């Protein structure tokens, strides 16, 4: 008798779990979108709309045997999920993989490939017409966006503003020094330790001249601005408490095997992965993919009558690769004797050149391009 695995969310972790299990179970993937989106490439898709199709992997080709339901989950219990349409989907195993939300264009708003491509083309036109660009937030997203803009339009004046006193706190001084050097080479201005004294009066992502006053009294005039901060966990559908109680940060508590901790007990047939979980680590696609491997092994073992024994251990040192366009960038990777700073050429080789398009084409099949 075949068992049903319901995967809620078709991001990095959810799509990987669904793909890994579709040959051993009846997999149902639930997501409002029509494709897996490699959001690591979203900022390049903005500046190079002719390349943008490469970040979309249609679900109907990713899954060859599994079922895809385009809908939103509004409630979950130990036996299955309820959709916004009112449909009930029963499950023998549940994997919650709804990830997190972030400001456009780092995360796309549209649920279809065509609509998302239209959005990117429109924003590209707005950006192309702007000589001065203001980016609020100098974390990884803001840095990558600045680098992508400068690669296509070297003459644009790009300014990053962030209230933090230093770039990428928690990473090695050597990597931060390398980052500052490359930003200087690219002509990207960075204003740290300050924020805006008042909200901007123009809409983000739209070409319109605006002058911002910072809390230290300076004025910055821009022709377009982007928001690059504000990660939010997508967990509202669990707020009714029928499955579990969310942590104060809106995340799902999990065990080492990534089983969900229910109200007083461990749910051995329910898992959570990726940004949704309370695992103490940066929220990154690479970690969600590692979570997916653990959960796929555990469910496969359970389908065969065994126990979930594969466990996930966060890395002892943070890892990051930040491309600044296709040729520049900084990175830090964990090594046995501690974190190691990697040169721009390594960042380009592993991520910057194609932003993982090749990796996901091997794993998930052809892109929409």
């Amino acid at each position: 008798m075949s068992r049903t695995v319901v995967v809620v969310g078709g991001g990095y972790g959810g799509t990987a779990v669904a793909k890994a299990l579709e040959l051993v179970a009846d997999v149902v993937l639930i997501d409002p979108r029509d494709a897996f989106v490699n959001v690591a490439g979203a900022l390049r898709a903005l500046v190079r709309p002719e390349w943008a199709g490469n970040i979309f992997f249609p679900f109907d080709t990713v899954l060859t045997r599994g079922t895809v339901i385009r809908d939103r989950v509004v409630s979950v219990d130990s036996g299955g999920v309820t959709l916004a349409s009112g449909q009930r989907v029963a499950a023998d195993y549940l994997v919650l993989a709804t990830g997190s939300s972030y400001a456009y264009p780092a995360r796309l708003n549209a649920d279809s490939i065509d609509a998302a491509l239209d959005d990117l083309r429109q924003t590209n036109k707005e950006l192309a017409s702007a000589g001065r660009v203001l980016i609020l937030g100098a974390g990884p997203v803001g840095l990558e966006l600045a680098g992508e803009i400068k690669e296509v339009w070297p003459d644009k004046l790009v300014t990053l503003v962030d209230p933090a006193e230093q770039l990428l706190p928690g990473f090695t001084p050597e990597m931060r020094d390398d980052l500052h050097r490359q930003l200087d080479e690219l002509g990207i201005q960075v204003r740290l330790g300050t924020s805006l004294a008042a909200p901007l009066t123009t809409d983000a992502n739209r070409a319109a001249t605006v002058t911002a006053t910072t809390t230290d009294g300076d004025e910055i005039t821009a022709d377009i601005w982007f928001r690059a901060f504000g990660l939010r966990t997508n967990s509202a559908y669990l707020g009714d408490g029928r499955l579990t109680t969310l942590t104060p940060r809106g995340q799902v508590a999990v065990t080492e095997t990534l089983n969900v901790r229910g109200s007083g007990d461990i749910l051995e047939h329910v898992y959570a992965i990726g940004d949704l979980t309370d695992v103490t680590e940066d929220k990154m696609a690479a970690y969600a993919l590692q979570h997916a491997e653990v959960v796929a092994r555990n469910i496969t073992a359970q389908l065969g009558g065994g126990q979930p024994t594969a466990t996930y251990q966060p890395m002892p040192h943070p890892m990051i690769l930040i491309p600044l366009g296709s040729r520049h960038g900084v990175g830090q990777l964990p090594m046995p004797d501690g974190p190691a700073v990697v040169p721009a050429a390594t960042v380009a080789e592993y991520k910057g050149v194609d932003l993982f398009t090749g990796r996901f084409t091997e794993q998930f099949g052809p892109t929409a391009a």
Side-chain angles (χ1 to χ4, degrees), residues 131-139 142-143 145-147 149-150 154-162 167 179-192 194 214 218-222 324:
R132 298 162 295 185
V133 182
L134 173 61
I135 300 172
L136 301 183
L143 292 166
L145 177 57
I149 291 171
K150 274 291 191 175
D155 295 332
K156 288 192 189 298
L157 177 62
V158 179
T159 303
L160 290 157
V161 173
D162 199 295
L167 294 174
L179 175 58
H180 279 284
R181 179 186 60 77
Q182 292 187 53
L183 292 173
D184 288 344
E185 286 181 0
L186 293 169
I188 296 169
Q189 299 187 6
V190 182
R191 301 289 308 279
L192 297 174
T194 191
T214 65
D218 289 344
E219 289 189 342
I220 301 172
T221 300
L324 301 171

Side-chain angles (χ1 to χ4, degrees), residues 49 52 56 104 110 112-125:
F56 301 99
Y104 174 87
S112 74
I113 297 171
D114 289 344
L117 289 172
D118 285 345
D119 288 346
L120 290 166
R121 283 189 285 263
Q122 179 59 42
T123 308
N124 176 269
K125 290 179 183 177

